[in-house]
Amino acid sequence: MPKMRRKGDLPEKICAACGRPFKWRKKWARVWDEVRYCSDRCRRDGRSTDRGM
């Protein structure tokens, strides 16, 4: 059985849209390097700001 991790030991990133820190989630395990946004809402808002709208 794998060793348990504490929540404080999980990797963290800064959201590209809101600038807040967010932690690794199990559902992002395979694509963690590609994750840029903390939520669906930030992803929607972030894309519109990336285009200059």
Side-chain angles (χ1 to χ4, degrees), residues 26-40:
K26 189 174 181 178
K27 69 179 182 179
W28 293 334
R30 294 182 184 173
V31 294
W32 178 245
D33 294 334
E34 300 164 14
V35 175
R36 294 182 55 205
Y37 305 105
C38 64
S39 65
D40 289 335

Side-chain angles (χ1 to χ4, degrees), residues 4-21:
M4 296 296 291
R5 290 183 120 178
R6 293 183 183 163
K7 285 185 179 183
D9 295 338
L10 295 174
E12 200 172 275
K13 287 186 177 185
I14 303 297
C15 179
C18 68
R20 294 180 182 166

